[in-house]
Amino acid sequence: MTQILLQIKSDSLAMATTSSSNGLLSSTWFWLSIVEFIFIIFLLIKLKKKKTELAFSDLPKDKMKTAKSSNIDMDNLMNSINGSRDLYKELSKACHPDKFVNTEKQKIAEDIFQDISKDKRNFEKLLVLKERAKNELNINF
Amino acid sequence: MVVADWFGEMAERYRLVRDFNKAAKNSFIAGIAPTLLEAKITKGDSAYRHAFSKWMSAGFRIKALSGRPLEKSELIEIGRVVLDNEELTRKLISLGWDTLEVHSNEGYNGAKWALKDYANIGGFLN
């Protein structure tokens, strides 16, 4: 009987030691998680601060939405990549204002030449200007 | 950002790349383009970041796939055509791209631009 009682006492002592060490362990994890949490908050604040310092951070959201939903004419882009250079050269040579010095078409030629220089990499707009040059300056391409 | 917005934005990004590739393929098949171009999403350059940059997918790369090899001046010309297209530049920025890269099909020839430097056109920054 005494032996059984002694056995129970030693078991309960062992249990108490384990539970106290478990408490210490959980407390360590608790503090570790607190430190991690603070570190994450610090990183988030830093990230937000950095984002506000970057370009376009003050851009209104409605402008972004309209930009996102715009449709791009990819065929015109491909034509511009492949054909705008040659068309620009052709048009700028044919419509140069120096060819119309002291004539009534000089002003029109200057306007068209300005537009050609502005839209030198837009194939569609260059085609429109070519038509305009044909009609208003009587140039045969 | 709302989850639906995020998914919508991702779909729009992939739609833009798909439309570009489709137009490039048609142009090559029709014989208008001497080189087949392909657009894809890359990491981008961290030095070109802006407020809308996507993490690890902020580069818009145009690569020559086959056909005639492109010279440096031609690569630059392709980049300039994209950057001169105000609408496209604004759309690229708003969809989270910050770097435009144009690469040749041979070697390591290529050029890259920061899209933010070309955004103050058409009143985007007003």
Side-chain angles (χ1 to χ4, degrees):
Chain A
M1 186 66 182
T2 323
Q3 208 171 2
I4 293 166
L5 279 171
L6 274 172
Q7 183 64 44
I8 291 167
K9 204 175 178 181
S10 65
D11 282 353
S12 64
L13 267 172
M15 285 273 283
T17 320
T18 321
S19 68
S20 72
S21 73
N22 267 347
L24 187 74
L25 196 72
S26 71
S27 154
T28 312
W29 282 114
F30 173 75
W31 287 111
L32 200 68
S33 62
I34 290 287
V35 169
E36 273 182 17
F37 181 71
I38 291 166
F39 186 63
I40 288 167
I41 294 289
F42 168 74
L43 284 179
L44 282 173
I45 291 168
K46 205 178 162 189
L47 195 77
K48 194 159 179 132
K49 203 178 165 190
K50 205 175 176 183
K51 223 164 189 183
T52 52
E53 286 166 3
L54 287 168
F56 312 132
S57 56
D58 51 348
L59 206 69
K61 286 204 168 178
D62 57 318
K63 278 201 172 182
M64 294 302 297
K65 277 203 169 171
T66 48
K68 270 180 206 170
S69 57
S70 62
N71 282 319
I72 308 295
D73 186 359
M74 284 297 176
D75 292 328
N76 179 38
L77 184 75
M78 287 304 140
N79 287 332
S80 301
I81 287 172
N82 299 302
S84 63
R85 204 179 189 176
D86 295 335
L87 188 58
Y88 168 72
K89 274 183 189 171
E90 187 191 359
L91 285 178
S92 58
K93 206 181 274 179
C95 305
H96 202 281
D98 288 354
K99 284 190 171 181
F100 302 93
V101 179
N102 297 328
T103 63
E104 60 203 19
K105 288 172 185 168
Q106 190 180 357
K107 184 82 184 80
I108 303 166
E110 278 171 5
D111 279 354
I112 291 174
F113 191 75
Q114 261 182 10
D115 288 347
I116 289 168
S117 306
K118 202 179 118 195
D119 297 317
K120 64 188 279 189
R121 292 190 180 93
N122 192 329
F123 191 76
E124 216 164 70
K125 285 186 179 169
L126 286 177
L127 281 181
V128 173
L129 288 168
K130 190 178 180 179
E131 278 303 308
R132 207 179 140 196
K134 268 184 198 172
N135 297 330
E136 293 176 29
L137 298 174
N138 298 325
I139 300 170
N140 293 316
F141 290 98
Chain B
M1 186 192 281
V2 188
V3 180
D5 281 353
W6 188 84
F7 278 108
E9 202 175 292
M10 291 309 279
E12 194 61 43
R13 274 166 75 88
Y14 284 102
R15 195 178 302 132
L16 186 80
V17 172
R18 200 184 56 216
D19 288 350
F20 183 96
N21 290 337
K22 203 175 163 186
K25 200 189 272 179
N26 290 339
S27 176
F28 183 66
I29 291 167
I32 302 163
T35 311
L36 175 62
L37 298 175
E38 189 201 34
K40 56 177 166 180
I41 299 168
T42 59
K43 206 174 76 172
D45 193 326
S46 59
Y48 298 162
R49 285 189 75 223
H50 55 72
F52 308 111
S53 293
K54 283 266 183 291
W55 189 65
M56 294 298 281
S57 60
F60 187 86
R61 180 177 292 174
I62 299 170
K63 195 176 188 300
L65 274 188
S66 60
R68 185 174 59 81
L70 295 174
E71 289 167 20
K72 184 90 178 173
S73 62
E74 287 173 305
L75 297 178
I76 291 169
E77 187 61 26
I78 293 171
R80 294 296 315 184
V81 169
V82 174
L83 294 169
D84 272 14
N85 193 323
E86 295 171 18
E87 218 176 351
L88 178 59
T89 310
R90 268 180 266 157
K91 190 162 183 164
L92 288 172
I93 289 168
S94 60
L95 288 174
W97 278 293
D98 58 25
T99 313
L100 172 70
E101 303 169 14
V102 184
H103 275 246
S104 178
N105 49 350
E106 278 179 1
Y108 294 97
N109 280 341
K112 64 180 176 180
W113 295 264
L115 287 173
K116 62 181 177 185
D117 296 342
Y118 298 86
N120 52 352
I121 41 175
F124 193 52
L125 290 178
N126 289 347

